[in-house]
Amino acid sequence: MITVGHPLVFAVGILGNILSFLVTLAPVPTFYRVYKKKSTESFQSVPYVVALLSAMLWLYYALLSMDVLLLSINAIACVVESVYLAIYLVYAPKDAMVFTMKLLSIMNMGLFGAMVAFLQFYVEGQRRVSIAGGIGAAFALAVFVAPLAIIRQVIRTKSVEFMPFWLSFFLTISAVAWFFYGLLLKDLFVAMPNVLGLLFGLAQMGLYFVYRNPKKNGAVSEMQVGAQQAAADAEKEQQAHAAAPLDADGEVRMSADDGANKDDHVVVDITPPPPPLPLAPPQAVIIPQPRTVEAV
């Protein structure tokens, strides 16, 4: 199936290529921010790992079906997503880097390699194309669903800081173009996933408009959430120490009711806090020198 011979299908496919290319460029501001801050912050690598795997699957399907337009855009997508993941791995903390490497090894190398080997050696003809298309369609849904993994974080923090709007927008528009492309070609593997892709994209954009004003919604960042939790824990600990009676030596005094179970208690020595630091350095004291009186 070579789409160059169908003018209308070719035109819609070119539009889909352009929109899909914009989708691949949508995370550029995100990774520029990662590069500038030298940190991945709360950004996740899962959507980009899944997007790379989806592009690899569609590239294989395009090779089998001889679809020029699918071949071109997915070859570009493989390169761009690989660059994104390389930047992520450079600036990610150790735990996130190890997790991403494991995910790439299992999904993009292990599963994809096993699938290609199985289809090449044990399946022939049109059945091979159909199986590859079905697997590609399943992972296309995963690409649309992957950004929804941060919805819980968006709702909890009331902020869309870590959910790029342009990625959701171009995914939605691209889904429309590729749906009509598959419909015109009567290729259900291309058309069907983009129906749900449109719905998921609309849901993401709706969530963005709900929480796009952080001040109005009382948004808090991840660091603020952690700081507030630490402050609350410290306040509880201070209240617990203040409620315990102390004797003259600064030790916790046991009540009369606790005397019967004194073997179950320990004496806690509470070190008095150090004196507060001065707000300003002490002023130097000037000692006047004795005046020498000369004899007349």
Side-chain angles (χ1 to χ4, degrees), residues 1-17 67-70 177-187 190:
M1 167 171 62
I2 302 177
T3 56
V4 177
H6 305 272
L8 179 59
V9 177
F10 184 73
V12 176
I14 289 293
L15 178 61
N17 269 254
D67 192 324
V68 176
L69 296 179
L70 276 180
W178 285 111
F179 168 74
F180 283 107
Y181 176 79
L183 192 64
L184 291 172
L185 278 180
K186 298 180 180 180
D187 189 341
V190 176

Side-chain angles (χ1 to χ4, degrees), residues 244-291:
L246 304 177
D247 57 16
D249 296 330
E251 298 178 348
V252 178
R253 188 188 308 159
M254 296 174 59
S255 62
D257 295 335
D258 296 334
N261 299 323
K262 62 182 179 180
D263 294 337
D264 298 334
H265 296 271
V266 293
V267 177
V268 180
D269 292 330
I270 301 178
T271 306
L277 296 176
L279 297 177
Q283 301 293 328
V285 178
I286 302 175
I287 302 176
Q289 300 293 330
R291 182 179 301 173

